[in-house]
Amino acid sequence: ECEEKLSPFLKGCGYNVKKDVVFVPISALTAANVTKRFDGAPWYSGPCFLEVLDLLPACDRNHNSALRLPILSKYKDLGTVVEGKVEQGTIT
């Protein structure tokens, strides 16, 4: 049911649902199908959530280029502290 309702929305956002999206049923309350496969859903025979994450391709990053760090947030509690994700380059 979730897959049927989410697929048209994801297609409208530009995702190729057959190629780019993997639907994995999990339970955050009981951690079912998060770290190991769950036998309680006979209709699902795919990998668990961590197995799907392990199968994702690694991002290619150019470590020799100039540093690109998009800033996500800024704090001024103890001086100026910025938070972001390194997109390319390295911090030494």
Side-chain angles (χ1 to χ4, degrees):
E1 177 185 357
C2 294
E3 185 174 348
E4 292 172 3
K5 291 184 179 182
L6 283 174
S7 292
F9 171 74
L10 293 172
K11 283 180 187 176
C13 291
Y15 289 98
N16 183 351
V17 178
K18 295 185 190 266
K19 180 182 167 192
D20 299 331
V21 179
V22 178
F23 290 96
V24 180
I26 63 169
S27 171
L29 182 62
T30 62
N33 210 30
V34 175
T35 57
K36 56 186 173 184
R37 293 184 185 192
F38 179 60
D39 296 331
W43 46 269
Y44 181 75
S45 61
C48 70
F49 181 66
L50 287 182
E51 290 172 347
V52 170
L53 289 180
D54 288 338
L55 293 174
L56 290 175
C59 297
D60 292 332
R61 292 192 176 140
N62 190 353
H63 297 287
N64 297 325
S65 293
L67 179 67
R68 275 184 45 208
L69 181 102
I71 307 246
L72 300 175
S73 57
K74 179 175 81 169
Y75 306 101
K76 288 190 174 184
D77 296 337
L78 301 169
T80 301
V81 177
V82 294
E83 175 185 5
K85 177 183 174 188
V86 175
E87 294 290 336
Q88 78 178 20
T90 55
I91 299 175
T92 55

